[in-house]
Amino acid sequence: AVQLVESGGGTVQPGGSLRLSCATSGFTFSSYTMSWIRQVPGRGFEWVSTTRSDGHTDYAESVKGRFTASRDNAENTSYLQLNGLRTEDTAMYYCTNDGGAAKSGIFSRARGQGTQVTVSS
């Protein structure tokens, strides 16, 4: 079965940093385009980034220049480095093996349980 397990969230002050991880199993990770998405309670999902199997990454304008997505195909793991965090980045963050669908507003693919990021002074 497909499994995605996010970790690394926490509470930081504005301007702080976090590194999220997404450990995966049950599918051929190296062949999949992976995305990060986030959700604020009471609101819909928001696309954050999409990383192809070759490492090429696209970012939402709201995080470009502050967040960096990467992947380790040998470890079947995706990462999201969050720098320069803002209060509006507060959300539950999920990884998904969606082939890049989230970039087009499709959020129905498999994802993990999420990891909470809270940015507060």
Side-chain angles (χ1 to χ4, degrees), residues 24-88:
T24 74
S25 62
F27 63 100
T28 306
F29 178 83
S30 60
S31 299
Y32 275 75
T33 293
M34 298 292 294
S35 295
W36 286 93
I37 60 177
R38 64 187 181 184
Q39 185 179 32
V40 176
R43 295 172 56 181
F45 288 103
E46 178 186 7
W47 171 65
V48 175
S49 68
T50 291
T51 302
R52 297 186 327 209
S53 57
D54 64 0
H56 175 83
T57 302
D58 292 318
Y59 298 95
E61 284 298 322
S62 59
V63 307
K64 195 175 293 184
R66 300 187 298 121
F67 292 7
T68 303
S70 61
R71 61 191 296 159
D72 185 333
N73 288 337
E75 295 294 329
N76 298 332
T77 301
S78 288
Y79 301 97
L80 186 66
Q81 177 70 39
L82 290 66
N83 296 331
L85 282 161
R86 305 168 180 169
T87 55
E88 56 264 38

